[in-house]
Amino acid sequence: MSSIKILQQYWGYNNFRPLQEEIINNVLEYKDALALLPTGGGKSICYQVPTLVKSGLCLVISPLIALMKDQVEQLHRKFIAARAIISGQSTAVVEDILQQASKGEIQFLYVSPERLETKLFKAYLPTLPITLIAVDEAHCISQWGYDFRPPYLRIAALRAYFPITPILALTASATPLVQEDICKKLAFNKNAPIFRQSFSRPNLHYAVIQPQSKIETLIKMLQKVEGTSIVYVRNRKRTKEIATALQQQG
């Protein structure tokens, strides 16, 4: 089935968003790539659609359990076979998931970078029919890999098992230096493309102000804005103080 038919059948869209089709075609040609798409830009479709086109297993490396669970639940709603190996699962459960994957019963397997280095996962790795490796939130390679999650820097070790399997790195935030680091740490070919979508959001307004009283200005702003708002605060103590002040103002 073609990419567009997969999109229509499972997602109900008639057309791809900008760059999605180019990224998917690149994957289908067994080429590595880095995709920079804004939040809500449809990054997951870029690895989910080509996996359903080619069949086989997509190994998705993701940093957070919540992200994995959310993706798996969304795929289940589309009746697509997906599982996540997360902390807290028993060895028996993990082994059952890996057995399903090795038998071709799963199309998407979500794991953390730390999971790649466990003995049990390595034992099953050669048996997995992986046709695509997707590294979600790929900026974590630079942001976290050097400090407290070094397995991020060793993801390219998978190439020893799957030398021709393409790796697709996806992120919504990466400076030019981080982009370069991602490509280097994942052992991309020098000619591997970087797909960049515009991050311009015409429906958003940005402003920087320096008020005499932050809380008074905040209250005035919130009274003018309809609907729900989010206030980001530096620490927990100040969060409670501001929340209390806002509740007192209704």
Side-chain angles (χ1 to χ4, degrees), residues 49-77:
V49 168
T51 299
L52 296 175
V53 171
K54 295 193 297 183
S55 71
L57 175 68
C58 178
L59 179 67
V60 186
I61 301 165
S62 184
L64 301 172
I65 291 175
L67 293 176
M68 296 189 218
K69 286 183 175 180
D70 181 63
Q71 287 293 325
V72 169
E73 288 172 5
Q74 288 187 39
L75 289 168
H76 284 175
R77 290 192 207 107

Side-chain angles (χ1 to χ4, degrees), residues 20-250:
Q20 283 182 329
E21 192 167 17
E22 291 93 326
I23 296 167
I24 290 167
N25 289 337
N26 189 81
V27 169
L28 292 174
E29 293 173 4
Y30 288 86
K31 296 178 181 177
D32 300 329
L34 169 59
L36 283 92
L37 304 178
T39 300
K43 291 189 291 296
S44 58
I45 281 178
C46 295
Y47 63 81
Q48 290 170 347
V49 168
T51 299
L52 296 175
V53 171
K54 295 193 297 183
S55 71
L57 175 68
C58 178
L59 179 67
V60 186
I61 301 165
S62 184
L64 301 172
I65 291 175
L67 293 176
M68 296 189 218
K69 286 183 175 180
D70 181 63
Q71 287 293 325
V72 169
E73 288 172 5
Q74 288 187 39
L75 289 168
H76 284 175
R77 290 192 207 107
K78 296 176 174 60
F79 301 100
I80 297 171
R83 296 294 298 271
I85 299 177
I86 58 178
S87 59
Q89 292 171 329
S90 67
T91 301
V93 169
V94 173
E95 191 158 15
D96 181 60
I97 294 172
L98 290 170
Q99 286 177 355
Q100 289 181 44
S102 65
K103 293 176 183 177
E105 297 173 358
I106 297 174
Q107 291 165 291
F108 296 90
L109 177 60
Y110 288 77
V111 301
S112 69
E114 288 81 6
R115 182 66 58 176
L116 303 175
E117 300 185 342
T118 62
K119 288 183 179 180
L120 183 57
F121 190 87
K122 284 184 174 181
Y124 276 90
L125 193 54
T127 71
L128 301 180
I130 296 174
T131 54
L132 173 62
I133 298 168
V135 183
D136 202 10
E137 307 294 339
H139 59 275
C140 293
I141 290 173
S142 275
Q143 189 176 21
W144 291 353
Y146 292 96
D147 296 321
F148 65 100
R149 295 186 73 171
Y152 259 108
L153 305 179
R154 299 191 288 267
I155 293 173
L158 289 170
R159 291 194 183 276
Y161 298 88
F162 308 100
I164 64 170
T165 299
I167 297 180
L168 175 61
L170 306 113
T171 180
S173 60
T175 64
L177 284 175
V178 171
Q179 293 171 36
E180 183 181 343
D181 201 27
I182 291 170
C183 295
K184 182 179 178 181
K185 290 298 180 291
L186 293 178
F188 281 1
N189 186 289
K190 287 185 178 181
N191 298 322
I194 298 178
F195 296 91
R196 300 181 184 88
Q197 192 182 109
S198 173
F199 286 76
S200 174
R201 297 293 184 92
N203 58 320
L204 297 182
H205 173 72
Y206 300 89
V208 178
I209 56 176
Q210 296 178 330
Q212 289 184 338
S213 171
K214 289 184 179 181
I215 190 66
E216 289 181 11
T217 303
L218 177 60
I219 291 169
K220 289 179 182 178
M221 291 173 66
L222 293 175
Q223 289 171 339
K224 293 179 182 179
V225 177
E226 296 182 1
T228 304
S229 300
I230 299 176
V231 180
Y232 291 93
V233 185
R234 186 180 296 274
N235 55 54
R236 186 177 298 180
K237 179 182 177 183
R238 188 65 177 143
T239 300
K240 291 181 178 179
E241 293 173 353
I242 291 178
T244 300
L246 292 178
Q247 287 169 350
Q248 290 173 347
Q249 295 295 320

